[in-house]
Amino acid sequence: MSTPAVPSVLFVCVHNAGRSQMAAAFLTHLGGDRVQVRSAGSAPADTVNPAVVEAMNEVGIDISAETPKVLTTEAVQASDVVITMGCGDACPYFPGKRYLDWKLDDPAGQGVAAVRPIRDQIEQLIRGLLTELGVEAAA
């Protein structure tokens, strides 16, 4: 009996400094080693948004060591599900991949108070995604 393949998810936004970082952190936190997680940006920023780091710390997830990464065609090709967050036409498209586009406010330039509702919305989307993937969320 073979073990089922671990689903691979790529989160993409323009700067890879906010939404995609939060989504990747939640999926890693809730999915553990039952999901392979990547995030990238079409035009990555130099650092992760400090308000995003603070908002994630509030829910016990430390992303202070994360750095924005550039989107590569290899990352897309290696992923089963590609979730875009406001990157428009900058995201490469490959047939056979499952694409989702999550409409989320951009936390860029926002304070932590504005980031919290985005963070909470992302957590709910991630929990739904785990259910769709058949992966049980960690307690």
Side-chain angles (χ1 to χ4, degrees):
M1 187 171 155
S2 67
T3 52
V6 174
S8 175
V9 180
L10 170 66
F11 296 100
V12 182
C13 64
V14 175
H15 300 298
N16 189 221
R19 296 165 290 192
S20 55
Q21 290 284 350
M22 288 190 282
F26 272 123
L27 188 55
T28 299
H29 182 73
L30 296 169
D33 59 6
R34 298 177 305 283
V35 185
Q36 187 178 44
V37 182
R38 293 181 182 85
S39 74
S42 51
D46 294 328
T47 59
V48 174
N49 180 333
V52 166
V53 172
E54 185 178 337
M56 292 302 286
N57 272 333
E58 291 175 354
V59 295
I61 301 174
D62 181 8
I63 62 168
S64 61
E66 294 297 327
T67 55
K69 292 170 271 317
V70 70
L71 177 64
T72 63
T73 52
E74 293 78 20
V76 177
Q77 288 174 316
S79 302
D80 300 313
V81 181
V82 179
I83 299 175
T84 56
M85 303 168 180
C87 76
D89 296 334
C91 297
Y93 178 83
F94 292 96
K97 301 291 174 195
R98 180 166 170 221
Y99 287 85
L100 299 171
D101 186 45
W102 289 355
K103 305 289 186 211
L104 296 161
D105 291 334
D106 188 348
Q110 304 288 323
V112 74
V115 173
R116 285 184 190 114
I118 303 168
R119 173 201 66 200
D120 296 344
Q121 186 182 4
I122 289 171
E123 181 181 7
Q124 292 312 306
L125 287 165
I126 292 296
R127 289 182 180 280
L129 177 66
L130 283 166
T131 301
E132 285 176 41
L133 294 174
V135 175
E136 193 174 327

